[in-house]
Coordinates of all heavy atoms in Angstrom, one line a residue:
S2 N 144.6 40.3 -65.2 CA 144.7 39.1 -66.1 C 145.9 39.3 -67.0 O 146.3 40.4 -67.3 CB 143.4 39.0 -66.9 OG 143.2 40.1 -67.8
K3 N 146.4 38.1 -67.4 CA 147.5 38.1 -68.3 C 147.0 38.4 -69.7 O 145.9 38.0 -70.1 CB 148.1 36.7 -68.4 CG 149.0 36.4 -67.2 CD 149.6 35.0 -67.4 CE 151.0 34.9 -67.1 NZ 151.6 33.6 -67.3
A11 N 151.0 40.8 -81.1 CA 150.7 42.1 -81.8 C 151.6 43.2 -81.3 O 152.1 44.0 -82.1 CB 149.2 42.4 -81.6
S14 N 155.1 42.7 -82.6 CA 155.1 42.9 -84.0 C 155.1 44.4 -84.3 O 155.9 44.9 -85.1 CB 153.9 42.3 -84.7 OG 153.9 42.6 -86.1
S16 N 156.2 46.7 -82.2 CA 157.5 47.2 -81.8 C 158.6 46.9 -82.8 O 159.5 47.7 -83.1 CB 157.9 46.5 -80.4 OG 159.2 46.8 -80.0
R19 N 158.3 49.2 -85.8 CA 158.9 50.6 -85.4 C 160.4 50.6 -85.6 O 161.0 51.5 -86.1 CB 158.4 51.0 -84.0 CG 157.0 51.4 -84.0 CD 156.7 52.0 -82.6 NE 155.3 52.4 -82.5 CZ 154.5 52.3 -81.5 NH1 155.0 51.8 -80.4 NH2 153.3 52.7 -81.6
R20 N 161.0 49.5 -85.1 CA 162.5 49.4 -85.1 C 162.9 49.4 -86.6 O 163.9 50.0 -87.0 CB 163.0 48.2 -84.4 CG 162.9 48.4 -82.8 CD 163.6 47.4 -82.0 NE 163.5 46.0 -82.5 CZ 162.6 45.1 -82.0 NH1 161.7 45.5 -81.1 NH2 162.5 43.9 -82.5
I21 N 162.2 48.6 -87.4 CA 162.5 48.5 -88.9 C 162.4 49.9 -89.5 O 163.2 50.3 -90.3 CB 161.7 47.4 -89.5 CG1 162.1 46.0 -89.0 CG2 161.8 47.5 -91.1 CD1 161.2 44.9 -89.5
A24 N 165.2 52.1 -88.5 CA 166.5 51.6 -89.2 C 166.5 52.1 -90.7 O 167.5 52.6 -91.2 CB 166.6 50.1 -89.2
S30 N 169.6 58.2 -94.4 CA 169.9 59.6 -94.0 C 171.3 60.0 -94.6 O 171.6 61.2 -94.5 CB 170.0 59.6 -92.5 OG 171.0 58.9 -92.0
A35 N 181.3 55.4 -94.5 CA 181.8 55.3 -93.1 C 180.6 55.5 -92.1 O 180.4 54.7 -91.2 CB 182.9 56.3 -92.8
L42 N 176.1 48.9 -88.0 CA 176.6 48.2 -86.8 C 175.8 48.6 -85.6 O 175.6 47.7 -84.8 CB 178.1 48.6 -86.6 CG 179.1 47.9 -87.6 CD1 180.5 48.5 -87.5 CD2 179.1 46.4 -87.3
I49 N 170.5 42.8 -81.8 CA 170.9 41.5 -81.4 C 171.4 41.5 -79.9 O 171.4 40.5 -79.2 CB 172.1 40.9 -82.3 CG1 171.6 40.8 -83.7 CG2 172.7 39.6 -81.8 CD1 172.6 40.4 -84.7
D52 N 178.0 43.5 -77.9 CA 178.8 44.7 -77.4 C 179.5 45.3 -78.6 O 179.7 46.6 -78.6 CB 179.9 44.2 -76.4 CG 179.3 43.8 -75.1 OD1 178.2 44.3 -74.8 OD2 179.9 43.0 -74.4
F57 N 182.7 43.6 -92.9 CA 183.8 43.4 -93.9 C 183.4 43.9 -95.2 O 182.3 43.7 -95.7 CB 184.1 41.8 -94.0 CG 184.6 41.2 -92.8 CD1 183.8 40.7 -91.8 CD2 186.0 41.3 -92.5 CE1 184.3 40.1 -90.7 CE2 186.6 40.7 -91.4 CZ 185.7 40.1 -90.4
R63 N 191.3 46.6 -105.7 CA 192.5 46.3 -105.0 C 192.6 44.8 -104.6 O 193.6 44.4 -104.1 CB 192.7 47.2 -103.7 CG 192.8 48.6 -104.0 CD 193.0 49.4 -102.8 NE 193.0 50.8 -103.0 CZ 193.1 51.7 -102.1 NH1 193.2 51.4 -100.9 NH2 193.2 53.0 -102.4
S68 N 188.1 45.4 -92.9 CA 187.1 45.3 -91.8 C 187.0 46.6 -91.0 O 187.9 47.4 -90.9 CB 187.6 44.2 -90.8 OG 188.8 44.6 -90.2
V70 N 185.5 47.8 -87.4 CA 185.0 47.3 -86.1 C 184.3 48.5 -85.3 O 184.8 49.6 -85.4 CB 186.2 46.8 -85.3 CG1 185.8 46.3 -83.9 CG2 186.9 45.7 -86.0
A71 N 183.2 48.1 -84.7 CA 182.5 49.1 -83.9 C 182.0 48.4 -82.7 O 181.7 47.3 -82.6 CB 181.4 49.8 -84.7

Side-chain angles (χ1 to χ4, degrees):
S2 65
K3 281 182 140 180
S14 180
S16 176
R19 284 187 180 144
R20 290 192 314 268
I21 291 170
S30 68
L42 284 169
I49 297 176
D52 292 334
F57 293 94
R63 296 181 182 178
S68 64
V70 180

